[in-house]
Amino acid sequence: MDFIGANILSVSQFERADIERVFDVADAMTPYAKRDKVTRVLEGAILGNMFMEPSTRTRLSFGAAFNLLGGTVRETVGITASAMAKGESLYDTARVLSGYSDVICMRHPQEGSVAEFAAASRVPVVNGGDGANEHPTQALLDLYTIRKELAAHGRTLDDFRIAMIGDLKHGRTVHSLCKLLCLFGKVHITLVSPPELAMPEVIVEKLRAVGHEVTVTDQLESSIAHVDIVYSTRIQEERFASQDEANRYRGRFRLNRAIFTRYAEPNTVIMHPLPRDSRAEANELDIDLNEHPSLAIFRQTDNGLLVRMALFALLLGVENQVDKYAREVNWHSRRNPV
Ligand code: NCD
């Protein structure tokens, strides 16, 4: 695909070569993400961050990624703090904001809203999550992480086993990740959820249509026994009609050190898109795994910066000029090596 000026709305727009391109550029961003060097390649460019749903890492890492390339970030957070609370349409908002920005990242609770916004925008729009539909940049950073973690054990994306656990019905990260996995060789996917929160059938069919082996279950222990990646997710409480309904599923699957040690193979990697719900009644990924070498959740968030820097560089056509505008950092960082 031609990245320059493209909207990033769904992982379905990518071919395998596009993914590899993003990953190569992401690798090259490492010295900048680590602050060994700074670059001014996007000096003067403005990212418009428009987050109409709660977000910590997606919003901040989009912003930090743009800053690390030398650009500036302007943002509006929450529908109540924007003119949408006064009845302004997505169309008008897009026309206005795209006059102030060179690229826009947007999160919104309604499925399809980011595509609607992008149709009216005069600059590229990146989907930071549209309701339960998709979260394409999260899927890219998840896949980038899976690739790196597998490579550490001499494995590749064309032959591995993954268990996805939790609210697979409403989880946009697992929707996008499954669609992206359709571009790769031989993946065995175990989908672990209560039957009411199962992965949409249309996505399961897509996986099977490309020859992936898919197992659907509600058993946690047996599912984590023979996999390379465990991908845990949160019950998406904001997508339920009531908290009472969400409460029925909270805490249904709990991964902790005892269960992991007992059932999983030692090299199994633990991932989670975060936030993990650490309240006692949920606790899907226990803090007693925090120091476990298999826990990749913070390697995952660090990788998010690299992948989002890569996307911005590609969308604005500067991926080959990043080093040309680089210099050493002025400050002394206390940052520990990653
Ligand atoms: C996810 C999201 O917002 O879809 N988080 C993220 O962006 N890293 C997952 C979630 O909220 O549970």
Side-chain angles (χ1 to χ4, degrees), residues 167-204:
D167 184 354
L168 307 183
K169 177 182 178 189
H170 303 108
R172 56 194 173 199
T173 74
V174 284
H175 297 169
S176 290
L177 183 57
C178 281
K179 290 183 197 169
L180 210 45
L181 288 177
C182 291
L183 296 175
F184 293 84
K186 204 174 99 200
V187 189
H188 186 165
I189 301 149
T190 306
L191 301 171
V192 191
S193 72
E196 302 87 341
L197 302 184
M199 180 68 73
E201 198 49 42
V202 52
I203 298 180
V204 176

Side-chain angles (χ1 to χ4, degrees), residues 51 53-59 107 128-132 134-135 137-138 141-142 170-174 231-239 272-277 284 300-301 308:
F51 276 68
E53 259 195 345
S55 171
T56 301
R57 74 226 86 233
T58 305
R59 181 170 68 86
R107 169 173 287 188
D130 62 324
E134 279 229 31
H135 195 345
T137 64
Q138 179 71 38
L141 80 88
D142 287 342
H170 303 108
R172 56 194 173 199
T173 74
V174 284
Y231 188 103
S232 172
T233 67
R234 179 179 68 87
I235 299 299
Q236 308 283 294
E237 59 187 6
E238 62 276 38
R239 312 265 177 250
H272 191 304
L274 301 182
R276 55 177 156 170
D277 187 343
E284 67 253 6
Q300 219 176 326
T301 51
R308 290 182 171 125

